[in-house]
Amino acid sequence: MTWQTHEITNQFNELTDYNLFATDVPLQEALERAGAGAYTAQLSQYGEALGRTETYALAEQANRYTPEFKPFDQRGRRLDQVDFHPSWHQLMAMYRGEGLISMPFRDQQKGRWAATSAGFYMHGQVEAGTMCPATMTQAAIPLLEREPTLWPLLKDKLLANAYDARDLPIAQKRSVWIGMGMTEKQGGSDVRANTTQATPVGTGGRGAEYLLKGHKWFFSAPMCDAHLVVAKTADGAPSCFFVPRWRFDGSKNPVQVQRLKGKVGNRSNSSSEVEFQDAVGYLMGEEGRGIPTIIEMAGYTRLNCVLGSAGILRQGLVQAIAYTRQRHAFGNVLVEQPMMRAVLTDMALESEAATVLALRLAEAYENEHQPGERAWKRIMTPAAKFWICKRAVELSGEMMETFGGNGYVDDGIMARLYREAPVNSIWEGSGNVMCLDVMRAIGRDPQSAMALLEQLTVDAGDDQRLRAELRGLQGLLATAPEHLEALGRRFTERLVLVAQGCLLRRFAPHAVADAFIATRLDAHWGHVVGTLDTRGIDVKTILERAFPS
């Protein structure tokens, strides 16, 4: 007798073997607006490579076989080594090989920042952990370019596209990775509360050697070839130091890894606690200027947090649409169920708005010296990080739910997206820190803030809903300073939503723009995904644009 109890019907795997670039119309349009046409062929090829079943398998392996810490060798000699599964190295090599880390600083071609951002956004959809060292390395380049004693030693290795996984002194490597060491137990985001001390070996000063003593609570990623570290000099002022894994004389720098963090997500990547035992570091900039240095670096890493969360929204949306187009429930294809269509439409609007805003920020980074772009970079980057990263946390759960119980198991990508989403909201400043940053940026340069709102008013055109919301934001700016900080989250949310609405009004099809503005500016919107009223929304057009069938 043949048992039929495990005959499988009406079940479908997560989507693979598709081109992440060719199926993303909003991304293609954003690159065209940014003048990045010279990069689209490369990005399409990379989108195809990322979408292969084999690449998704590498991502699954890298997160299943997590980094292993080896503090000592067989004879008790200190190693402080972290070993990775081969899949990690393959994914790292894929990204580095595309030149995306150095592209915005190496090239001068128009659209380079948008192209770099597009590559980051696509790679992070498949595997996000590898984006951590990539982000930190990219953000360190403009800072290190200004260091006359360090840049000649690092330039070719930072700008290189070849991947070099060997644990060797920098001089012996083809390319290098840079990490960060900012957070301490007592400080968190308040870096000024750190206690790690730096003592000059000689007279000190820019580029000089110091010895660092202290502890870092989050040190990512410990196998990077060097880290930018905040430590206090004798006067108690925070300064920034370049701390190599190996001293320049070839000996191991005494940065002792104490343990790896057991994180909720981002499991393929190693984050650690370390202790500096008179570790050698080289002063970057002037003593006491560590906070401005790190703030500059954070500007770049926060952009990548926005891109990473936009990528999570995009991947979750695509997987949800692809699955519901095949799955049957209650006598109909799931995607045709009216309530599911409302949920998918809400997701599609959120994803396109996040993508459009993220790529608009990339343009601001490329054109930061042009009038008006400074406000986009300085004010909208933390605002977008606050809102888009928060939305990825909420929507990744809803996207996982479209798969039912199958979405909640670790075998598929939906659970990984759900675990991955919170890190972008927490890393490089949590939600309150981002909103405070927005309010402080406005306080320091109110003219730029007003110019930004005026520019958005132009983009709003004759849409009275957007114009009314912009007038409301201008009114909030007149609030007494002692009350405005408490309204930081409310102001930032409204600022991002109106900016997304204005960008969609200007660049997206009417079906998308009208639906986004009507729902996001509705006082009853947002409590739960999918509660929007679809009777006045062109659902078919929105879903087909989101992921063409």
Side-chain angles (χ1 to χ4, degrees), residues 112-133:
R112 62 191 182 277
W113 268 102
T116 300
S117 300
F120 187 99
Y121 158 90
M122 289 194 299
H123 187 110
Q125 291 181 43
V126 180
E127 208 297 298
T130 41
M131 298 288 87
C132 177

Side-chain angles (χ1 to χ4, degrees), residues 262-284:
K263 297 170 292 185
V264 171
N266 207 247
R267 295 177 180 175
S268 66
N269 176 48
S270 60
S271 300
S272 63
E273 297 170 32
V274 301
E275 187 170 81
F276 303 124
Q277 300 182 349
D278 281 342
V280 170
Y282 299 88
L283 180 63
M284 295 177 57

Side-chain angles (χ1 to χ4, degrees), residues 92-105:
M92 292 276 280
M94 282 181 67
Y95 191 78
R96 186 117 203 186
E98 294 295 318
L100 295 166
I101 290 174
S102 60
M103 183 184 290
F105 307 109

Side-chain angles (χ1 to χ4, degrees), residues 467-489:
R467 296 178 77 89
E469 184 66 12
L470 286 162
R471 287 193 296 271
L473 286 173
Q474 289 172 333
L476 269 180
L477 287 179
T479 304
E482 62 269 23
H483 300 303
L484 189 57
E485 182 176 311
L487 297 172
R489 284 191 173 219

Side-chain angles (χ1 to χ4, degrees), residues 299 357 360-385 434 437-456 477 491-492 495-496 499:
L357 179 55
R360 175 63 183 87
L361 288 175
E363 289 188 65
Y365 278 70
E366 182 167 320
N367 304 313
E368 60 179 322
H369 299 300
Q370 295 181 11
E373 295 301 286
R374 179 182 176 185
W376 273 96
K377 181 180 177 182
R378 183 64 189 90
I379 298 172
M380 288 305 305
T381 299
K385 182 186 179 302
M434 290 302 96
D437 203 18
V438 170
M439 307 315 291
R440 287 167 183 164
I442 291 171
R444 291 191 185 107
D445 191 359
Q447 290 184 334
S448 288
M450 295 305 293
L452 174 63
L453 294 178
E454 289 170 3
Q455 181 182 345
L456 289 173
L477 287 179
F491 178 88
T492 303
L495 175 62
V496 175

Side-chain angles (χ1 to χ4, degrees), residues 62-260:
N63 285 272
R64 180 178 296 275
Y65 306 107
T66 55
E68 180 183 352
F69 176 40
K70 292 185 177 180
F72 304 100
D73 70 8
Q74 291 175 317
R75 296 296 180 264
R77 290 178 287 262
R78 191 83 198 189
L79 286 177
D80 295 299
Q81 181 175 307
V82 181
D83 290 343
F84 294 85
H85 190 267
S87 56
W88 165 271
H89 296 295
Q90 288 178 258
L91 290 162
M92 292 276 280
M94 282 181 67
Y95 191 78
R96 186 117 203 186
E98 294 295 318
L100 295 166
I101 290 174
S102 60
M103 183 184 290
F105 307 109
R106 184 192 64 233
D107 295 357
Q108 293 302 314
Q109 196 156 335
K110 184 175 175 57
R112 62 191 182 277
W113 268 102
T116 300
S117 300
F120 187 99
Y121 158 90
M122 289 194 299
H123 187 110
Q125 291 181 43
V126 180
E127 208 297 298
T130 41
M131 298 288 87
C132 177
T135 291
M136 296 183 296
T137 302
Q138 183 185 75
I141 290 175
L143 279 66
L144 290 165
E145 278 182 323
R146 299 198 295 268
E147 299 304 318
T149 60
L150 294 172
W151 184 242
L153 305 174
L154 300 170
K155 177 182 177 181
D156 292 342
K157 302 173 193 299
L158 283 170
L159 301 184
N161 295 342
Y163 177 60
D164 190 341
R166 298 174 299 165
D167 184 19
L168 295 171
I170 288 173
Q172 301 176 36
K173 297 198 65 174
R174 295 187 297 273
S175 63
V176 296
W177 299 88
I178 308 296
M180 296 171 66
M182 311 301 163
T183 307
E184 298 185 12
K185 297 174 187 176
Q186 58 277 358
S189 295
D190 185 5
V191 179
R192 293 185 185 277
N194 289 356
T195 61
T196 297
Q197 297 293 316
T199 304
V201 173
T203 57
R206 187 170 195 166
E209 185 176 310
Y210 288 67
L211 298 181
L212 275 63
K213 184 181 297 183
H215 176 267
K216 292 295 175 182
W217 188 238
F218 277 95
F219 194 76
S220 298
M223 290 303 290
C224 286
D225 299 285
H227 291 77
L228 301 192
V229 173
V230 171
K232 289 185 175 180
T233 46
D235 62 358
S239 300
C240 184
F241 295 87
F242 177 87
V243 180
R245 176 167 166 79
W246 296 84
R247 297 187 186 104
F248 289 151
D249 65 6
S251 61
K252 174 74 170 58
N253 207 6
V255 179
Q256 288 197 357
V257 179
Q258 296 183 317
R259 63 171 175 169
L260 300 186

